[in-house]
Each structure stands twice: as C-alpha cells, then as structure tokens.
Amino acid sequence: MAGLGEKERRDHAMLVGVVTLGWNRAVHQLLRAFTHLTGVESPLADVIFFGSRSDNAQRQMLARVAKTVDLTSKERDRLIPSIRRLDKAAVTRNAATHTIFGVTAYDRVTDRWGVKVLPLLDQTERSRLKEDFEAQFREVESELGAIYQELEDWLIATPIRHAPGPDRRFHWRRRPRWRGLARRPSSTRSRPMARPRRTMTLVERRRILVRAV
C-alpha cells in the first residue's frame, strides 16, 4: 500500500527529472557549439569546456569564444541570444534542482487540508519559485526544448570554424612513436638499424632485433 502522498511525490520527481534532462540536453548543445567554433573535438573539448564546474562560467566562455572567432555578425547575433535565454532558464532550473521539497497534508499558505508537495526550508532557491511552481517548471522545460532546437538550427546553418593558426587547423592525429625502423635485409649480411628518434627500452630493442633478423 502506498504511503501518504506517494503519487504526488512521484509526479513531482518526474517533473523535476524532465527539467533536468532538458537542461542537460541544452548544455550538450553548448558543448557542440564550442567544438563547432574552435575545432577542438572530444575528449579534449570536454576537458576544456567542463574544466569549470560552474554552468554560468561555461556559458560565458562560449560567449567569449563566439566574439573571438571570425563569425559573421548574423551568426553571432543568433548564438548569443540563445546563451542569454539559457541564463534566464537557469534560475528556474536551479530552483527545481536544489530546492528541498516534501509532502504535507496541510498547506499553511492557503490554510487548506490536502496532500501537496511544498518546499520544506526557507532557502534562497525558494524565493525564485512562483506560487504555482509546477506550472513554472513545465514552462521552463518547454523553454529548454526551444533553446535546444534553436542551437541545433544554428549548428546546421553555421559553417565550421577552426582556431586561428597558419593553416587554421588543429592537428590531433596521433603520430608514430618513432620512425626509421629497420627493414628486413635483402642479403644475408645484416644492415645497421636506423637510429630511433627517442630512447628505447630494452624490450623495444629486442623486438627490433628480432624483426631485423
């Protein structure tokens, strides 16, 4: 048998979860925009972008990158407002995520009896909640979905930009550990091995000798 307010608690948890998922999708779009502008790909892009655990710092960094690379004014004017919209949505998202809620059978504000989910503590986030916070959460979930789609449209319409440099490209391809490995001699007389470009371990030397024999 379910306890008092079990249904209300689950419904509220689902609503907070929907807001959280919508937020995470929007943040991932910001990461994609960062990769789009800089040419730095994952996992390095993840390390740089999430180097700051502050969501606000991540958004501000992306805005500075957008102002630094050679975007057209139209492309920049489409991206910056999306970041600002996410700034506003963060207020309600933080309230939904960090406010401690509980189930009560009596609402002191309305002076009515009935099972209801309410904030338990007088926290900073509580001041950001509207009286009908459930409608507030549904509204911000819809807003986060719109921001996600707006950023998706921007990614599709904006040509890929790379970081400045001589050839304007990043080179993250893995290079060989060393070059000039000895080839199998054409005659029975052994040939000297090419000098490696780094100091090799004893095991590596033995492997080269076995290959050369």
Side-chain angles (χ1 to χ4, degrees), residues 64-83:
R64 291 195 298 269
V65 170
K67 295 177 181 178
T68 303
V69 299
D70 56 343
L71 286 176
T72 65
S73 58
K74 182 178 179 180
E75 293 166 348
R76 187 178 296 108
D77 292 343
R78 288 186 61 190
L79 177 60
I80 299 299
S82 298
I83 300 176

Side-chain angles (χ1 to χ4, degrees), residues 6-205:
E6 183 66 19
K7 178 181 181 303
E8 289 76 8
R9 186 188 67 81
R10 288 182 176 274
D11 291 343
H12 178 77
M14 291 177 62
L15 183 57
V16 173
V18 167
V19 172
T20 302
L21 289 175
W23 175 264
N24 291 342
R25 292 175 73 232
V27 171
H28 183 253
Q29 291 291 72
L30 297 183
L31 173 62
R32 293 180 61 198
F34 176 79
T35 301
H36 201 81
L37 294 174
T38 63
V40 182
E41 299 180 356
S42 296
L44 183 59
D46 304 358
V47 174
I48 297 174
F49 186 78
F50 294 113
S52 173
R53 297 192 176 184
S54 168
D55 293 331
N56 181 63
Q58 295 166 6
R59 295 192 297 272
Q60 296 305 318
M61 178 181 65
L62 180 60
R64 291 195 298 269
V65 170
K67 295 177 181 178
T68 303
V69 299
D70 56 343
L71 286 176
T72 65
S73 58
K74 182 178 179 180
E75 293 166 348
R76 187 178 296 108
D77 292 343
R78 288 186 61 190
L79 177 60
I80 299 299
S82 298
I83 300 176
R84 298 294 172 254
R85 289 179 67 182
L86 203 56
D87 288 339
K88 295 179 180 179
V91 177
T92 301
R93 175 263 175 183
N94 291 338
T97 304
H98 300 298
T99 301
I100 300 176
F101 291 91
V103 178
T104 181
Y106 173 71
D107 189 351
R108 291 181 297 176
V109 177
T110 60
D111 192 25
R112 294 179 180 178
W113 289 92
V115 178
K116 190 176 182 179
V117 175
L118 291 174
L120 291 181
L121 304 178
D122 188 15
Q123 301 169 291
T124 304
E125 287 77 10
R126 185 171 182 175
S127 62
R128 302 170 182 172
L129 292 174
K130 298 179 180 180
E131 184 176 351
D132 188 358
F133 56 82
E134 292 184 352
Q136 181 184 2
F137 292 170
R138 294 189 184 95
E139 181 181 349
V140 76
E141 190 272 332
S142 177
E143 173 70 1
L144 290 170
I147 295 173
Y148 173 91
Q149 189 58 51
E150 191 174 73
L151 290 170
E152 183 70 19
D153 295 340
W154 180 87
L155 288 166
I156 295 173
T158 306
I160 296 177
R161 296 298 196 276
H162 298 290
D167 57 358
R168 303 188 56 76
R169 290 180 297 176
F170 273 83
H171 298 283
W172 299 114
R173 292 176 296 180
R174 181 174 294 180
R175 297 183 177 180
R177 299 177 67 181
W178 70 82
R179 298 177 180 178
L181 292 178
R183 298 181 179 179
R184 185 180 181 86
S186 58
S187 62
T188 56
R189 188 175 181 179
S190 62
R191 297 179 180 178
M193 293 186 299
R195 184 178 180 180
R197 297 193 175 213
R198 69 173 181 81
T199 303
M200 294 183 295
T201 64
L202 181 59
V203 174
E204 292 169 344
R205 291 180 180 178

